[in-house]
Amino acid sequence: MSAQPRLAPKRARAKNPQAAIDSYLNDVAARNPGEPEFLQAVQEVAEHVVPFALTRPEYQSLKVLERLAEPDRLISFRVTWQDDHGVTHINRGYRVQNNNAIGPYKGGIRFHPSVNASILKFLAFEQTFKNSLTSLPMGGGKGGANFDPKGRSESEIMRFCQAFMSELFRHIGPDTDVPAGDIGVGGREVGYMYGQYKKLTNRFEGVLTGKGMAFGGSLIRPEATGYGVVYMMQNMLEHMGQEVAGKTCVVSGSGNVATYCVEKLNELGGKVVTLSDSSGFIYDPHGIDAEKLAWVMDLKNVRRGRISEYADAFDAEFHEGKRPWGVMCDLAFPCATQNEIDTKDAKQLVRNGVLAVSEGANMPSTPDATHIMMEGGIRLAPSKAANAGGVAVSGLEMSQNSLRYNWTRDEVDQKLRAIMADIHEHCVTYGEPKAKSVNYLKGANVAGFVKVADAMVAQGLV
Ligand code: NDP
């Protein structure tokens, strides 16, 4: 008696996409309590990928989607280090190895006080789809620590990086897992971690990307994410018969991704009027030209100051504790952090008549904000497509390390442009090209999924 009613809903679920999505998300939620960012990332993908998977019986019988949402491995470890005053600190380090069906795990390392398992699982999950979209052989991973680099001296940063790598080194390798930078981890930190890896293993090999040029780095790697975000926008605009030149642009953040995004927008004739950090945003109606941008890069990378100082140095406004989405513009580029565009911001962007958004940060829009923007007619390139340029050039760095060879700046840039154009094409192919407006989110989700899923099926239940 009791088996009959339990079977009926199961059969119904198999045929009804929304029921299948709900069932999948409920299972993931039950297995991952207290991990809202991870659930949000899975939810964003499930909306498009679950209905697609229903059309392929092998994906269902081998539980490809379920396996994708369960990391291959989550390593958590203690990082102990001493500050300049001899005080001992303990942080928690992580590496999430999500999926290596199409290549070694690959993804950045984040140093930020907010880092926890949920945030890194969301990033590693996203990274799996993103890396697949680049067409390069890279699986998905992510790592980091709840360490706050703000206000730390050079030697404290070095000691922390060394302590972090003292455990991480045993879990990574050029054919196993190849980390890179992310929030709070740039060329300086990658250099210190590389030095420690080399010391511990006595091997000089391509185990990290984003390395300095003197020891195996690639030209264009620092610029790649920001440039790629703009190339994605360029491709979307061309598809609409438009161009970047003459457009007013709003950019958030003032770190690696934001600053190189501004550099490329300036080069293409766009006018960027905002930048931000966690204390607020600056509005410069005259535009952040090359000279002002060089000043910002020095402020952020050398003097390690706050964006508010820009308003004092130039004729600009500083809006404390605010985000820049209310500023009138044609194009928007969220390049700071996750969930920085909420529903209120999204409605404002729609009201302001914004044409398109290219997401530089990972998952910068909440799910509701994403829907509001897309339904409001904004073309939206989701982060897993728009910011894939960084990991793509990391993949090219790995190739150059294996070849023991360096490509020129032009060669790397040409490859980056080609990869971003391909990603745009994949999004159009899978993102309802016959509809009035391309659904880039659906396109990126499904295109990124297919390659990984097919590899998982081919490799059996491992
Ligand atoms: P950086 O550390 O260089 O810069 C981060 C910027 O975002 C800083 O301006 C920072 O301000 C700001 N920021 C961080 N947290 C918050 C917050 N909670 N609220 C407001 N602003 C905040 O990092 P990246 O530029 O490398 O990374 C930015 C985003 O791009 C991240 O989402 C990252 O995952 C993503 N990304 C980065 C890639 C890369 O190659 N670096 C590749 C793909 C994606 P403050 O200094 O005040 O903290």
Side-chain angles (χ1 to χ4, degrees):
M1 280 288 286
S2 62
Q4 191 68 10
R6 273 208 301 275
L7 275 174
K10 259 195 179 170
R11 273 204 297 270
R13 274 206 300 268
K15 289 189 182 135
N16 176 343
Q18 190 53 53
I21 294 170
D22 293 345
S23 161
Y24 174 63
L25 290 175
N26 286 340
D27 287 350
V28 176
R31 275 207 312 279
N32 301 278
E35 299 194 345
E37 295 86 0
F38 177 57
L39 293 182
Q40 184 183 331
V42 176
Q43 183 189 345
E44 186 184 282
V45 166
E47 187 186 339
H48 304 118
V49 166
V50 172
F52 180 80
L54 287 177
T55 65
R56 309 268 175 106
E58 67 277 21
Y59 291 172
Q60 291 171 69
S61 62
L62 295 176
K63 293 200 186 291
V64 165
L65 272 167
E66 290 80 352
R67 285 157 62 204
L68 264 170
E70 187 66 40
D72 288 356
R73 208 166 286 110
L74 188 157
I75 302 144
S76 158
F77 51 94
R78 191 188 67 236
V79 185
T80 311
W81 59 285
Q82 276 192 337
D83 67 21
D84 291 344
H85 309 288
V87 178
T88 300
H89 297 264
I90 297 168
N91 286 96
R92 186 170 296 170
Y94 300 90
R95 187 70 184 164
V96 180
Q97 298 177 333
N98 194 67
N99 184 287
N100 67 351
I102 62 168
Y105 305 107
K106 178 93 196 84
I109 290 177
R110 177 176 292 192
F111 291 163
H112 193 272
S114 64
V115 162
N116 58 31
S118 171
I119 288 182
L120 294 180
K121 280 168 70 179
F122 119 60
L123 289 164
F125 180 79
E126 283 260 311
Q127 194 82 42
T128 305
F129 293 83
K130 180 186 313 190
N131 293 0
S132 165
L133 276 173
T134 67
S135 303
L136 299 174
M138 300 180 290
K142 201 83 186 188
N146 62 347
F147 167 70
D148 188 356
K150 279 201 194 82
R152 290 292 171 196
S153 70
E154 190 75 22
S155 53
E156 287 173 330
I157 296 287
M158 183 180 74
R159 282 199 296 280
F160 182 81
C161 290
Q162 291 173 341
F164 182 80
M165 186 52 84
S166 294
E167 171 62 30
L168 186 69
F169 85 98
R170 67 187 87 247
H171 307 290
I172 61 175
D175 296 317
T176 307
D177 184 351
V178 185
D182 191 73
I183 292 179
V185 178
R188 174 181 66 166
E189 292 76 14
V190 168
Y192 289 144
M193 286 191 273
Y194 190 75
Q196 184 72 354
Y197 177 88
K198 193 165 57 66
K199 175 89 179 164
L200 293 167
T201 60
N202 198 25
R203 294 176 71 88
F204 188 102
E205 55 192 8
V207 70
L208 287 162
T209 58
K211 300 187 290 297
M213 279 311 296
F215 55 100
S218 172
L219 289 164
I220 304 275
R221 176 60 190 90
E223 296 91 334
T225 309
Y227 281 14
V229 169
V230 178
Y231 293 151
M232 187 69 188
M233 177 63 86
Q234 230 186 342
N235 287 313
M236 285 200 300
L237 291 177
E238 269 168 26
H239 200 252
M240 299 160 72
Q242 301 255 10
E243 59 178 7
V244 170
K247 301 279 190 301
T248 300
C249 307
V250 160
V251 177
S252 68
S254 50
N256 171 270
V257 180
T259 48
Y260 286 110
C261 172
V262 175
E263 183 170 285
K264 186 53 74 178
L265 286 169
N266 283 341
E267 200 183 294
L268 296 177
K271 180 180 176 189
V272 181
V273 294
T274 66
L275 278 172
S276 72
D277 64 18
S278 51
S279 55
F281 79 90
I282 56 103
Y283 170 56
D284 183 346
H286 309 292
I288 301 163
D289 60 20
E291 200 181 317
K292 294 172 183 172
L293 182 63
W295 186 93
V296 172
M297 286 182 170
D298 183 66
L299 173 78
K300 286 293 172 180
N301 302 331
V302 182
R303 288 180 283 139
R304 312 244 167 220
R306 309 303 297 155
I307 200 66
S308 55
E309 295 170 44
Y310 182 103
D312 302 329
F314 304 102
D315 186 16
E317 297 167 14
F318 175 62
H319 296 264
E320 193 174 351
K322 298 256 165 37
R323 299 188 289 226
W325 312 121
V327 172
M328 288 301 289
C329 65
D330 305 301
L331 311 175
F333 299 86
C335 295
T337 193
Q338 63 268 8
N339 294 330
E340 55 171 314
I341 297 183
D342 62 18
T343 51
K344 203 167 126 273
D345 302 319
K347 285 178 190 159
Q348 186 68 56
L349 290 166
V350 172
R351 267 200 302 278
N352 289 354
V354 169
L355 272 178
V357 173
S358 186
E359 295 184 340
N362 282 309
M363 207 169 72
S365 315
T366 65
D368 288 343
T370 299
H371 285 118
I372 289 168
M373 288 189 277
M374 286 169 58
E375 280 154 24
I378 294 178
R379 301 274 171 126
L380 180 99
S383 52
K384 59 174 75 67
N387 71 24
V391 74
V393 174
S394 275
L396 300 178
E397 182 174 330
M398 290 162 73
S399 304
Q400 293 170 83
N401 291 165
S402 298
L403 289 167
R404 303 276 196 268
Y405 189 72
N406 286 334
W407 290 319
T408 64
R409 199 179 156 85
D410 258 9
E411 282 172 319
V412 179
D413 197 29
Q414 283 309 320
K415 290 181 203 300
L416 171 62
R417 283 173 199 264
I419 289 170
M420 295 313 295
D422 274 357
I423 292 176
H424 178 265
E425 205 48 48
H426 289 318
C427 291
V428 172
T429 304
Y430 285 98
E432 293 165 345
K434 294 199 185 77
K436 214 170 101 212
S437 174
V438 178
N439 184 338
Y440 284 92
L441 181 60
K442 179 179 179 189
N445 283 339
V446 177
F449 171 68
V450 171
K451 186 175 164 192
V452 177
D454 287 348
M456 288 171 74
V457 170
Q459 291 167 20
L461 284 175
V462 289

